[in-house]
Amino acid sequence: MNEDEPVLLHTEGHILHITLNRPRALNALTHTMVRCIDEALVRAAADDTVTAVVIGGAGGRGLCAGGDIRSIYEDARAGRSASVDFWRDEYRLNARIARFPKPYVALMDGIVMGGGVGVSAHGDVRVVTERSRVAMPETGIGFVPDVGGTHLLAAAPGELGTHLALTGRAVGAADAILCGLADHFVPSDHLTDLTTELAGSVTSAEVEETVRRYATTAPEGELAAQRTWIDGCYAADTVEEIIDRLSDSGLTAAKEAAATLLTVSPTALKVTLAAVRRAGRLGRLEAALDQEFRVSCRAFAGHDLVEGVRARIIDKDRTPRWSPAEVREVTAAEVARHFEPLGEQELGLAAS
């Protein structure tokens, strides 16, 4: 395997295989990788010999741990805007995946977080394994779920998506399927045989049938049994009330969720709640991506994203100094500012 190429492309039978190839970085996405995947999908859509695309990750530890957070940190600290350009192309890729005209099979084995969700969960055949850990953990670094994550989480049953968006909690295979982030469970030791057999699939129906033959019932998850308190607590209109309901519930799991919310960025919490609720009303993925681009640009120019990455990734002291430091100090005006139009800088996916 060529470690110098961050994305590997090869065709086996009728299948184009896209392999994210930065295993030492858990296949974290760079701008170059996003462009390479996008260009490959454009070619595959026009190539009659390609009947499906399969995306996976090198290294055996995960599909993709997200975007290259360290690069975003360095970009923001230096006052540059390369990250905005990266998000613009990344979100366009997310939309292309969702509208790809051929089966797009995502092997969501191992770690699948942030940008990894963006290159997998918008596909139409999404496979998880017993090793899958799927999450949108952005609030923990002072950011807000993006890559279409607010659209996906808004569509989850009840308030499960709100719970995952605010806490950044990682879920396993059964819970990923329950929340609409995945479709099929295939044991990890069957993935090689599955991909080999997919090479002979000529039609969309054959691709789906092949995956179904390898799929089985996922080990039991946790969220289904927690729906009552999750739906009751997260149905509140404000982050403050959500935290109060979780704290007062008397349930250990709910109190743990409340404790988590008290450690992450207050601004990110309030903007995330608003973003998920708004995405649910917007309906279309493209409109949600347009909204996420506005939010990401505003967060990039703010304090908490840089501070959150510093505390978790750079210095690793796990003691971020959020500003404001308390949820009650984040004003409605500050939340609303994140959603204001960007003028000529708009992503514009919904319009196109």
Side-chain angles (χ1 to χ4, degrees):
M1 185 173 288
N2 187 352
E3 295 184 359
D4 294 331
E5 295 293 333
V7 177
L8 303 178
L9 304 173
H10 80 276
T11 302
E12 185 176 352
H14 298 282
I15 307 298
L16 170 65
H17 289 268
I18 300 175
T19 304
L20 308 185
N21 188 38
R22 296 183 68 215
R24 294 180 183 176
L26 273 173
N27 300 318
L29 291 172
T30 65
H31 203 163
T32 297
M33 294 168 73
V34 166
R35 287 171 172 161
C36 181
I37 298 167
D38 192 72
E39 291 168 0
L41 291 182
V42 170
R43 293 193 299 269
D47 187 344
D48 292 339
T49 67
V50 173
T51 59
V53 168
V54 175
I55 189 167
R61 297 167 60 201
L63 170 64
C64 174
D68 191 337
I69 299 299
R70 185 179 292 270
S71 294
I72 293 172
Y73 170 85
E74 293 171 351
D75 191 35
R77 290 267 295 177
R80 299 188 295 263
S81 61
S83 297
V84 173
D85 297 332
F86 166 70
W87 288 323
R88 186 181 297 278
D89 286 342
E90 183 183 25
Y91 300 173
R92 287 172 173 164
L93 171 62
N94 302 145
R96 187 183 302 283
I97 291 169
R99 307 301 176 221
F100 192 66
K102 301 175 183 180
Y104 183 97
V105 182
L107 304 180
M108 302 170 69
D109 184 34
I111 298 296
V112 185
M113 296 185 178
V117 173
V119 297
S120 59
H122 298 300
D124 47 6
V125 184
R126 304 162 302 174
V127 176
V128 282
T129 76
E130 76 283 356
R131 304 188 301 196
S132 296
R133 301 298 294 167
V134 184
M136 296 297 296
E138 285 78 8
T139 57
I141 58 167
F143 198 43
V144 176
D146 64 338
V147 298
T150 61
H151 172 80
L152 293 166
L153 294 174
E159 295 294 334
L160 293 180
T162 309
H163 174 54
L164 298 186
L166 295 183
T167 62
R169 174 182 171 178
V171 297
D175 289 333
I177 293 171
L178 172 63
C179 291
L181 302 174
D183 305 298
H184 305 286
F185 172 79
V186 176
S188 60
D189 57 2
H190 292 174
L191 290 181
T192 299
D193 290 341
L194 168 61
T195 54
T196 298
E197 190 165 338
L198 280 172
S201 301
V202 177
T203 67
S204 298
E206 289 175 353
V207 169
E208 183 68 33
E209 175 58 27
T210 298
V211 175
R212 288 187 181 279
R213 278 193 285 104
Y214 279 87
T216 186
T217 302
E220 186 176 359
E222 299 177 358
L223 293 181
Q226 298 176 345
R227 278 289 303 277
T228 299
W229 69 260
I230 288 175
D231 288 353
C233 293
Y234 288 94
D237 292 332
T238 66
V239 172
E240 291 92 332
E241 187 177 354
I242 288 172
I243 293 174
D244 287 344
R245 290 187 185 185
L246 291 169
S247 300
D248 296 341
S249 70
L251 299 171
T252 299
K255 290 182 178 181
E256 290 174 351
T260 296
L261 298 186
L262 292 174
T263 67
V264 303
S265 163
T267 299
L269 279 180
K270 285 201 169 182
V271 175
T272 294
L273 180 61
V276 172
R277 298 272 165 85
R278 286 171 177 240
R281 295 191 295 270
L282 289 171
R284 293 183 63 223
L285 170 62
E286 287 82 359
L289 287 166
D290 285 346
Q291 174 178 273
E292 290 173 356
F293 187 69
R294 298 180 195 117
V295 170
S296 296
C297 289
R298 297 279 159 49
F300 180 71
H303 168 274
D304 279 7
L305 175 56
V306 169
E307 174 60 14
V309 177
R310 180 207 64 76
R312 180 162 298 210
I313 306 297
I314 307 301
D315 297 337
K316 299 182 180 179
D317 58 25
R318 302 278 175 167
T319 55
R321 294 179 289 275
W322 306 122
S323 180
E326 302 287 340
V327 170
R328 57 183 172 78
E329 296 174 340
V330 182
T331 66
E334 174 60 17
V335 173
R337 186 181 67 81
H338 284 73
F339 297 91
E340 292 175 356
L342 298 170
E344 294 182 356
Q345 299 304 310
E346 282 283 305
L347 184 59
L349 282 173
S352 62

